[in-house]
């Protein structure tokens, strides 16, 4: 029998997802790379920071990544310009979007799902003709994430200082996306 190809899709996150997200954001493999112990969110924090209406007011869109019917991860995209809080203060291009993502289940890391998730999110964002470039900013020592983002078509430009500490600034232009899609087709 021919195996069914794995396909990761994204759906908008809703308020009903918040208890699941609270569980995920407290798992050690996510806490490690999502702000560390100091940023481990309580239930009140999750309700205050991740309610979709609150995020929308800040230019952030939250998603749940799905493998078939199964929720497998959290992702968010944001408009870089005007992020506030010391983030992306030099950015002037309103077409730049940023992305962050994590898989929910530690036993599923390193199996290619993250690459599928990131490609799905990048493709979704570039459906908007106003989007010029997508950025992501893993910690410089998060080698698994960096490799995943390279496989999904991002190029590492330089190490930067962010309000969360040093990060590797990685970008994918629309031209690189089109070229990457052509090569993997
Ligand atoms: C980051 C994340 C979404 C990537 O998803 P993933 O499914 O694990 O990634 P993939 O399997 O698609 O790709 C990972 C690649 O890194 C490689 N890798 C794994 N551990 C590595 C390490 N310590 N050093 C270097 N490469 C490593 C894998 O072998 C794979 O590359 P390959 O296919 O060339 O062999 C996922 O690992 C995750 O949720 N991590 C925990 C939270 C996190 O780091 N979030 C991101 C914050 S920026």
């Amino acid at each position: 029998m021919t195996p069914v190809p794995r396909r990761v899709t994204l759906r908008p996150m809703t308020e009903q997802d918040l208890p699941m997200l609270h569980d995920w954001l407290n798992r050690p493999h996510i806490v490690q790379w999502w702000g560390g112990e100091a940023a481990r969110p309580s239930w009140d924090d999750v309700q205050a920071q991740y309610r979709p209406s609150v995020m929308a007011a800040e230019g952030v869109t939250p998603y749940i990544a799905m493998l078939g019917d199964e929720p497998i991860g959290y992702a968010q995209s944001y408009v870089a310009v005007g992020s506030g809080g010391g983030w992306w203060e030099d950015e002037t291009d309103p077409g730049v979007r940023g992305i962050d993502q994590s898989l929910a289940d530690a036993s599923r890391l390193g199996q290619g799902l993250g690459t599928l998730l990131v490609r799905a999110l990048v493709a979704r964002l570039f459906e908007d003709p106003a989007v010029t470039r997508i950025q992501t900013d893993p910690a410089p020592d998060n080698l698994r994430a960096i490799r995943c983002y390279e496989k999904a078509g991002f190029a590492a430009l330089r190490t930067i200082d962010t309000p969360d500490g040093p990060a590797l600034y990685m970008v994918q232009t629309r031209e690189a996306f089109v070229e990457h899609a052509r090569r993997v087709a």
Side-chain angles (χ1 to χ4, degrees), residues 14-159:
T14 70
E15 289 205 18
Q16 285 67 47
D17 294 312
L18 290 178
M20 178 175 73
L21 182 67
H22 174 240
D23 170 24
W24 291 356
L25 293 179
N26 277 277
R27 294 183 178 180
H29 74 285
I30 296 185
V31 170
Q32 181 184 6
W33 300 112
W34 205 265
E37 281 299 329
R40 181 189 278 276
S42 67
W43 172 235
D44 286 348
D45 295 334
V46 168
Q47 290 190 89
Q49 295 166 22
Y50 289 90
R51 206 176 278 280
S53 55
V54 172
M55 299 186 91
E58 295 172 349
V60 185
T61 307
Y63 313 87
I64 298 296
M66 306 289 295
L67 185 65
D69 292 339
E70 183 194 358
I72 60 158
Y74 173 73
Q76 59 189 27
S77 64
Y78 57 87
V79 180
V81 163
S83 288
W87 287 93
W88 318 120
E89 289 183 327
D90 296 338
E91 188 55 69
T92 55
D93 180 349
V96 176
R97 301 289 178 271
I99 61 171
D100 305 294
Q101 47 278 310
S102 283
L103 294 177
D105 189 346
S107 71
R108 285 190 139 155
L109 304 184
Q111 297 168 19
L113 288 174
T115 302
L116 293 176
L117 185 166
V118 173
R119 282 192 187 140
L121 182 52
V122 165
R124 184 184 182 116
L125 292 173
F126 276 132
E127 280 172 11
D128 178 352
V131 173
T132 55
R133 191 170 85 232
I134 299 173
Q135 64 181 33
T136 193
D137 59 333
D141 54 346
N142 192 349
L143 301 182
R144 184 176 50 219
I146 292 166
R147 174 74 189 126
C148 167
Y149 303 154
E150 284 172 348
K151 287 194 300 174
F154 283 82
L157 291 194
R158 59 186 175 276
T159 304

